[in-house]
């Protein structure tokens, strides 16, 4: 406990130092400031004893395979490719398109698919996100299964109008005469360690405010394959956000056959009795680590929930858990204000008010652009999440 507290105190001291530098207009470049903080940590015996980097991702196997049969070791990128391979093989109308997908994509999620299915079904597009999504809507309306890739979620915003005003409203606007429900838009998102402001964002909250879309984010290879196949076959347009740091960090024994994981169904990955921890994507692995530390150092039993589907989310599982534990902590990489945590917190307040023993806590990214060298301070790492656990438990004393 002292080890974690030591690092938090050093973070606070460092941030105070930065404020003093700014208030006194003392010029320092970001790398100088980051270097100063690193030297402060390295000279502290307390912090040297604090253990591993709080932002170093420990990957946890999230679940056993959802079906019997042959399995193969796959990373997340492999399982996503496998899902698209199955979709192309079992659906003659399915097409995969986006920037650079023909040669495998920048993250290698579509390797060899064009060789296998031809240039008419797996092909590159111009660098135009609005055009990619608009083209996908048109193909879906005409009856094809459209699997579009936006190369980075940070650049999905030019397609915002197509997704929110066209894809999400097509069925409603036409009185169900037409729809583009067979559209799935894949996009890598989230922190990766060096992406800075244009290659690290998590834009899920922008789309979770839009009726007519489904928004999904997996936390590992098994979920990635099963959830992507569910999105591709769902009769509503889906945005499938893929945490890019998990493409290679995550590896599991994944069923090689065809299977689906239901949308709008959360998974309880760790059962507990004292605090409910809610996350999705990469953050689920952070919360798994927090649950371990809380059990070992604080004697606190944490229940960890992987939301999986962000819109529409599984209210039933969350409410049931919070009524059992009496407290909730929500964590995500996206900024705090108006993030998905706010919606979850409101739902918990409305549905679990008489069961709550502490205020709902949110541990999120800060309300700033995503930083580069200051990424460790931005992310809701295990130390920040553990502080939230201590805070909610303090109300029970």
């Amino acid at each position: 406990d002292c080890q974690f507290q030591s690092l938090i105190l050093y973070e606070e001291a460092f941030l105070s130092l930065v404020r003093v530098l700014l208030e006194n207009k003392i010029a320092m470049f970001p790398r100088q400031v980051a270097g100063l903080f690193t030297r402060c940590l390295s000279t502290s015996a307390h912090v040297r004893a604090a253990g591993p980097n709080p932002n170093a991702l420990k990957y946890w196997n999230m679940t056993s395979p959802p079906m019997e049969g042959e399995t193969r070791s796959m990373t997340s990128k492999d399982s996503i490719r496998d899902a698209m391979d199955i979709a192309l093989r079992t659906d003659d109308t399915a097409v995969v398109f986006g920037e650079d997908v023909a040669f495998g994509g920048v993250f290698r999620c579509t390797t060899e698919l064009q060789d296998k299915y031809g240039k008419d079904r797996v092909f590159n597009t111009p660098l135009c996100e609005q055009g990619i999504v608009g083209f996908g809507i048109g193909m879906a309306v005409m009856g094809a299964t459209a699997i579009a890739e936006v190369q980075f979620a940070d650049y999905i915003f030019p397609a915002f109008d197509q997704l929110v005003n066209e894809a999400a409203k097509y069925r409603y606007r036409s009185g169900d005469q037409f729809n583009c429900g067979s559209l799935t838009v894949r996009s890598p998102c989230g922190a990766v360690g060096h992406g800075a402001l244009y290659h690290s964002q998590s834009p899920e909250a922008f789309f979770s405010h839009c009726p007519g879309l489904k928004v999904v984010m997996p936390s590992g290879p098994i979920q990635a394959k099963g959830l992507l196949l569910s999105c591709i076959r769902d009769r509503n347009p889906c945005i499938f956000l893929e945490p890019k740091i998990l493409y290679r960090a995550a590896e599991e024994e994944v069923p090689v056959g065809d299977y689906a994981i239901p949308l709008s169904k959360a998974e309880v990955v760790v059962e507990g009795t004292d605090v409910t921890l809610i996350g999705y994507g990469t953050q689920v692995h952070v919360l798994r680590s927090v649950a371990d530390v809380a059990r070992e150092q604080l004697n606190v039993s944490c229940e960890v929930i992987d939301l999986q589907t962000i819109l529409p989310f599984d209210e039933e599982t969350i409410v049931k858990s919070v009524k059992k534990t009496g407290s909730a902590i929500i964590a995500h990489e996206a900024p705090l204000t108006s993030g998905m945590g706010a919606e979850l917190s409101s739902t918990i307040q409305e549905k679990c008010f008489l069961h709550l023993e502490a205020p709902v806590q949110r541990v999120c990214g800060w309300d700033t652009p995503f930083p580069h060298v200051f990424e460790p301070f931005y992310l809701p790492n295990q130390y920040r999440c553990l502080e939230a656990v201590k805070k909610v438990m303090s109300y029970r004393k």
Side-chain angles (χ1 to χ4, degrees):
D1 185 31
C2 292
Q3 293 171 358
F4 285 99
Q5 189 64 39
S6 295
L7 187 54
I8 289 164
L9 290 173
Y10 272 86
E11 283 191 14
E12 291 175 352
F14 169 70
L15 293 174
S16 297
L17 171 62
V18 172
R19 281 194 294 270
V20 170
L21 293 171
L22 292 174
E23 288 169 0
N24 290 277
K25 298 181 180 180
I26 300 173
M28 292 190 76
F29 292 105
R31 288 189 182 277
Q32 290 177 294
V33 179
L36 176 62
F37 180 61
T38 302
R39 288 194 295 275
C40 288
L41 293 187
S42 66
T43 56
S44 167
H46 292 292
V47 178
R48 281 203 303 272
N53 180 351
N55 294 300
L57 178 66
K58 176 179 180 180
Y59 177 74
W60 298 79
N61 287 339
M62 303 311 298
T63 179
S64 58
M67 58 173 286
E68 296 180 355
E70 181 186 357
T71 64
R72 187 172 73 246
S73 179
M74 298 186 197
T75 60
S76 285
K77 71 176 181 64
D78 295 333
S79 69
I80 288 167
R81 181 204 174 277
D82 200 41
M84 288 186 281
D85 190 2
I86 290 172
L88 289 162
R89 185 175 70 244
T90 59
D91 180 355
D92 291 337
T93 73
V95 290
V96 173
F97 53 93
E99 299 163 17
D100 303 321
V101 300
F103 76 86
V106 294
F107 293 107
R108 315 307 292 157
C109 292
T110 55
T111 52
E112 300 178 355
L113 290 180
Q114 188 183 79
D115 295 339
K116 190 172 183 179
Y117 296 101
K119 296 180 179 180
D120 290 339
R121 299 187 64 196
V122 180
F123 50 88
N124 290 336
T125 65
L127 200 161
C128 177
E129 289 78 14
Q130 185 175 13
I132 293 169
V133 175
F135 178 77
I137 292 170
M139 292 203 72
V141 170
M142 296 307 294
T145 297
I147 307 169
E149 179 183 306
V150 173
Q151 197 169 86
F152 287 91
D154 310 67
Y155 299 110
I156 203 169
F157 300 113
F160 194 83
D161 177 65
Q162 290 292 320
L163 287 164
V164 172
N165 277 334
E166 303 299 337
K169 297 175 174 61
Y170 217 105
R171 178 183 281 115
Y172 180 83
R173 186 178 68 180
S174 68
D176 203 22
Q177 294 183 68
F178 308 101
N179 73 82
C180 59
S182 56
L183 169 68
T184 298
V185 178
R186 299 176 40 248
S187 194
C189 69
V192 71
H194 49 75
L197 66 167
Y198 286 137
H199 295 84
S200 303
Q201 296 177 74
S202 297
E204 65 275 3
F206 289 98
F207 299 103
S208 69
H209 191 64
C210 182
L213 296 176
K214 291 190 176 181
V215 183
V216 178
M217 190 184 297
S219 60
I222 292 175
Q223 288 89 346
K225 180 176 176 178
L227 290 169
L228 180 54
L229 282 169
S230 291
C231 285
I232 291 169
R233 293 163 178 170
D234 196 83
R235 293 301 88 191
N236 297 280
C238 296
I239 299 175
F240 190 78
L241 297 170
E242 303 164 3
K244 65 178 79 71
I245 198 170
L246 297 182
Y247 277 143
R248 290 174 173 80
E251 187 169 354
E252 291 176 335
E253 287 295 319
V254 179
V256 298
D258 188 342
Y259 68 93
I261 294 177
L263 302 182
S264 299
K265 181 63 179 175
E267 180 183 1
V268 179
V269 295
V270 177
E271 293 189 357
T273 57
D274 296 327
V275 185
T276 298
L277 308 180
I278 306 168
Y280 48 83
T282 307
Q283 202 62 27
V284 174
H285 303 283
V286 176
L287 296 178
R288 285 288 302 268
S289 296
V290 170
D292 261 17
V293 174
R295 183 185 68 253
E296 294 170 3
Q297 298 196 13
L298 306 177
N299 196 29
V300 172
S301 172
C302 296
E303 182 149 294
V304 180
I305 295 179
D306 180 358
L307 202 59
Q308 298 191 135
T309 301
I310 295 167
L311 180 71
F313 66 87
D314 182 359
E315 181 180 302
E316 181 182 354
T317 297
I318 292 170
V319 169
K320 180 180 178 181
S321 175
V322 176
K323 284 184 176 180
K324 175 178 70 174
T325 64
S327 55
I329 298 168
I330 304 152
H332 55 66
E333 290 183 12
L336 175 74
T337 301
S338 299
M340 191 60 199
E343 180 62 32
L344 293 169
S345 178
S346 176
T347 299
I348 292 168
Q349 170 73 6
E350 292 173 7
K351 304 291 184 178
C352 308
F353 178 71
L354 296 178
H355 298 265
L356 288 175
E357 298 183 33
V360 178
Q361 301 295 306
R362 291 177 292 160
V363 187
C364 310
W366 304 110
D367 291 330
T368 70
F370 199 104
H372 189 191
V373 294
F374 295 132
E375 180 177 300
F377 304 106
Y378 183 90
L379 291 174
N381 61 33
Q382 58 181 318
Y383 296 141
R384 288 177 58 196
C385 292
L386 188 69
E387 282 300 293
V389 172
K390 294 177 185 176
K391 185 173 182 179
V392 298
M393 294 304 297
S394 70
Y395 284 88
R396 302 187 181 188
K397 294 179 178 178

